[in-house]
Amino acid sequence: MQEIFAGLPWWVKWIAVPVIALVVFGGLIASVIGFVVWLLFRVLLFVALAGGLIYVVRKFMSSSSSHGDW
């Protein structure tokens, strides 16, 4: 890879090639980032709902067991 860029100016290596890569693979990169954000949101939503359910059930169980009616 070193010999491919050997005679080229610095701006080709550091500006032109990354811009071309972003143009070619930009949609793929955006899709992957969007999927990761969507998955992270779903995981956080699941954790929040499961944690809320566990909190409500424990709160209900502790208040009902103190009365001794069950």
Side-chain angles (χ1 to χ4, degrees), residues 1-65:
M1 196 69 163
Q2 197 81 5
E3 55 272 356
I4 294 174
F5 293 115
L8 298 175
W10 66 270
W11 59 269
V12 172
K13 289 188 275 191
W14 299 107
I15 296 174
V17 172
V19 166
I20 292 170
L22 281 176
V23 168
V24 171
F25 298 110
L28 177 65
I29 294 169
S31 297
V32 169
I33 290 173
F35 176 74
V36 168
V37 168
W38 175 81
L39 189 63
L40 182 63
F41 174 74
R42 293 293 178 157
V43 167
L44 289 175
L45 182 65
F46 171 76
V47 168
L49 290 174
L53 178 66
I54 291 170
Y55 174 77
V56 167
V57 168
R58 285 189 177 173
K59 193 76 162 175
F60 177 74
M61 294 297 287
S62 67
S63 66
S64 66
S65 66

